[in-house]
Each structure stands twice: as C-alpha cells, then as structure tokens.
Amino acid sequence: MQTDELTYQERIREHQLKIKQVFREMGKVVVGQQYMVNRLLIGLFTNGHILLEGVPGLAKTLTINTLAKVLHLDFQRIQFTPDLLPSDLVGTMIYNQSSSAFEVKKGPIFANLVLADEVNRSPAKVQSALLEAMQEKQVTIGEKTYRLDLPFLVLATQNPVEHEGTYPLPEAQVDRFMMKVYVDYLSKADELEVMRRMSNLSYTSTVNTILTKQDIFDIRNEINQVQISETLERYIIELVFATRKPADYDLTDFAQYLQFGVSPRASIALNLAAKAVAFFDERDYVLPEDIKEIASDVLSHRVILNYEAEADNVKTKDFVEAVLRKVPIS
C-alpha cells in the first residue's frame, strides 16, 4: 500500500515537472504570453473552454497552434465569418454516386483543440451548433449524433476593437466558457525579442511533444484529488452571491449597475480552476490566494451590467475586484 502511494506521488511529481516543460517548449515559439498559456492549460486540465479577447497581433492563434503540437493533439482552426453555415462547422451529408448512398463528411469541429477565430462574427445558427459541441461534446449531422474525440476544447477569440459585422455572443454561450482571458500587450523587452525573431527570415523553431492524451486525463484526475477546505468552499459561494446581491456585501456603489450576477456554473468553475492553480504550484490543497488569482477570469464575463454602467464606464472587472476586496474569508 505504501509502495502504491509512493508510486502515485511520483506520477504526480512527474506530471508537474512535465507541465513546467510545456511552458519552456511554448517559450521557444511564443514570447511573453505565459499568462495566456497558463490559462489555456488550466482550461484543458479542468475540461473548460476558454474565450480569449485581445487586439490583433498578440499571438493568440500562434499560441494555440503551438500548444496543440506540444501536447500532440489534433488541431483545427475555423475562421468565423458572417456567411459561415453550421455544416461548415460540424459537417454534412454528401451523396456517394458509386454506392448510391449518403455518407457523412465530418467538419473541422472533430478535433481535440478547436480554435474558433473571431467567434463573434458568425450568425445564431452557427453559434447554436458550436454550443452543442461545447456543452454536450457531440454534434448532430442529419438525424444521427456523433461523439467528439476527447479531450475536446474550444478556444475562441474575439477582437474588442471591431464591431462592424459582429454578432454579440448569447449570454448562455458566454456562460459556457470557463474563463474569459484578456490578452494584453507585451512588455518592451518581450516585444523587442519578437521583433528580432520575426525580422530574421531564416529563423525557425521546433517544439517537442511533452504530454500525451493519457497524461492529460491523468492530470485531470490528479487535479480532482486536490483538497479544498469547507471554509474555502463557502468563500467561493459568498463570492458568487456577492455578484448577485451586492448590497448585502457593502457593495452599494455597484448595486445600481448590476443587471444579472453570475450563474451556478461560476462556483463550479472557480472551484476547479483554484484546484488547478494549486496543482501547478505543486500543492495538494487550495489556498485563498489560488481562488483570488483566478476569480477575475472566471467571474468577469458572467456578470452582466446595465446601460448605466456603460455610460459611467464601469467594467465587470472593476466589480469583481471590489467583490474580492469586500467579501471576507470566514
């Protein structure tokens, strides 16, 4: 029994070291986006989809493509456009003249990592097809349902500076994303390194495969075993309820701006994400700091503010930060 326990702990340690290797391999290609890589891995290891928002040119697509290579996962990029059809996403039935029968032609959604580039440019029917894949891990073609290969993760991007020709994502779909990650500009030193690399036309970089699919499933199980105390579980619930009834938590300044607080999915996602943060930090228990570190990414996109907030330039991130300051750990 002791030997089995030792072996299990050794496996955990091995996986934690491999995660550090993943960051190093990503650094060979992607400069200065460790935060984004961290959040993508948390989503992958907790079975949660990620919405990335940032201006063009911040290596969002490059990061996801490189991550797929490092993890040896099937990768597909789908450019969302206003004329995209659901069949362009999930596939369709085609007629085979030689067999005189209809056959299924699967779409690009049948991959492990799916990059939905500029996801807010597609109409409602495409969003509905994507929603089924995200939530149910399956798609419907004709009258038959097909399970998607696991692990399955949607990494969607949207551009915050362009609104022409875009369709606002439905609240129900936004809620399906475990986290919304804001990708910021690089530091001066990092941008200098990017410029030097990309200005050298002969520069090439290859990455090694670090994790297998089985490793990913094993890491998911290990993160699930990370302990979180009842006190911190209640703290998560208090944070969630503070977004729904801010006046009860001495947040009256924000109460006038709130339309809807976060859904129950937020408490589940916050619990899982905090466990992943602890696991990455090589601990088997969650600290309050783990919850606070990830809270903004998990909660901000689920809070819906009214038009008065927009007029007063009040952001959901400001609201969540105020919640973290006011809600005590008891």
Side-chain angles (χ1 to χ4, degrees):
M1 183 70 179
Q2 188 174 2
T3 304
D4 293 340
E5 180 66 23
L6 181 62
T7 304
Y8 178 70
Q9 294 299 328
E10 288 175 346
R11 286 202 304 270
I12 291 178
R13 179 60 179 161
E14 181 184 355
H15 286 146
Q16 290 170 334
L17 289 174
K18 283 186 175 182
I19 290 173
K20 294 183 186 300
Q21 286 182 265
V22 169
F23 281 97
R24 286 195 293 270
E25 288 297 313
M26 293 293 296
K28 293 179 180 179
V29 177
V30 182
V31 178
Q33 293 292 6
Q34 290 86 353
Y35 179 83
M36 176 170 39
V37 174
N38 177 277
R39 295 315 192 243
L40 293 178
L41 288 175
I42 288 176
L44 179 66
F45 295 143
T46 57
N47 202 22
H49 307 290
I50 306 294
L51 180 60
L52 298 172
E53 183 172 294
V55 298
L58 296 181
K60 298 185 293 293
T61 303
L62 176 64
T63 300
I64 297 168
N65 193 2
T66 306
L67 184 63
K69 294 177 182 177
V70 174
L71 303 181
H72 195 56
L73 296 175
D74 293 331
F75 170 77
Q76 287 285 353
R77 175 185 176 274
I78 307 169
Q79 180 63 53
F80 279 57
T81 57
D83 60 349
L84 195 71
L85 298 175
S87 58
D88 297 327
L89 184 71
V90 302
T92 188
M93 304 287 291
I94 59 173
Y95 185 73
N96 188 328
Q97 291 184 336
S98 60
S99 62
S100 299
F102 283 96
E103 296 178 352
V104 173
K105 178 177 174 58
K106 293 182 177 180
I109 198 71
F110 287 88
N112 300 122
L113 291 185
V114 175
L115 172 58
D117 215 355
E118 296 188 288
V119 67
N120 55 334
R121 288 195 178 278
S122 61
K125 287 186 177 181
V126 177
Q127 300 291 352
S128 178
L130 181 64
L131 189 61
E132 180 188 9
M134 290 171 60
Q135 185 65 20
E136 308 298 336
K137 305 294 190 298
Q138 66 182 31
V139 297
T140 302
I141 304 174
E143 297 180 352
K144 191 172 180 181
T145 299
Y146 298 86
R147 301 295 299 178
L148 297 171
D149 188 25
L150 300 178
F152 174 73
L153 190 67
V154 172
L155 306 168
T157 71
Q158 63 179 20
N159 189 336
V161 297
E162 292 183 18
H163 300 288
E164 186 176 347
T166 63
Y167 300 79
L169 295 180
E171 285 81 0
Q173 182 168 359
V174 172
D175 192 39
R176 256 62 172 206
F177 287 101
M178 181 183 193
M179 290 183 285
K180 182 177 182 179
V181 180
Y182 294 90
V183 185
D184 205 353
Y185 287 110
L186 299 174
S187 67
K188 291 181 181 179
D190 288 335
E191 188 147 349
L192 178 62
E193 177 61 23
V194 170
M195 182 183 68
R196 285 171 174 169
R197 286 189 187 185
M198 303 311 294
S199 299
N200 182 358
L201 298 181
S202 61
Y203 174 81
T204 57
S205 181
T206 58
V207 293
N208 299 312
T209 299
I210 303 299
L211 294 174
T212 64
K213 287 185 180 181
Q214 188 57 51
D215 286 329
I216 293 171
F217 295 134
D218 290 343
I219 290 172
R220 285 183 177 181
N221 291 330
E222 290 159 6
I223 288 175
N224 194 47
Q225 300 302 315
V226 172
Q227 298 298 308
I228 180 168
S229 67
E230 184 176 347
T231 299
L232 292 183
E233 287 178 333
R234 293 186 182 278
Y235 176 57
I236 290 174
I237 298 301
E238 293 296 328
L239 291 175
V240 166
F241 270 73
T243 69
R244 300 171 186 169
K245 298 181 178 180
D248 294 349
Y249 294 83
D250 194 23
L251 290 162
T252 51
D253 291 345
F254 286 92
Q256 61 179 318
Y257 300 121
L258 181 66
Q259 186 171 356
F260 294 107
V262 302
S263 73
R265 286 193 183 94
S267 54
I268 299 169
L270 193 50
N271 185 306
L272 284 169
K275 288 182 177 181
V277 171
F279 185 83
F280 282 19
D281 204 29
E282 300 181 8
R283 283 181 281 105
D284 61 357
Y285 57 90
V286 174
L287 294 174
E289 290 74 19
D290 300 328
I291 298 171
K292 293 177 180 179
E293 178 185 331
I294 205 74
S296 183
D297 293 326
V298 173
L299 301 178
S300 293
H301 66 293
R302 292 183 163 94
V303 173
I304 302 176
L305 302 181
N306 54 30
Y307 290 109
E308 190 176 348
E310 186 176 352
D312 291 346
N313 198 30
V314 175
K315 308 295 184 184
T316 57
K317 193 172 183 179
D318 301 329
F319 179 36
V320 172
E321 288 175 354
V323 167
L324 291 171
R325 288 194 302 269
K326 288 288 186 179
V327 177
I329 303 173
S330 57

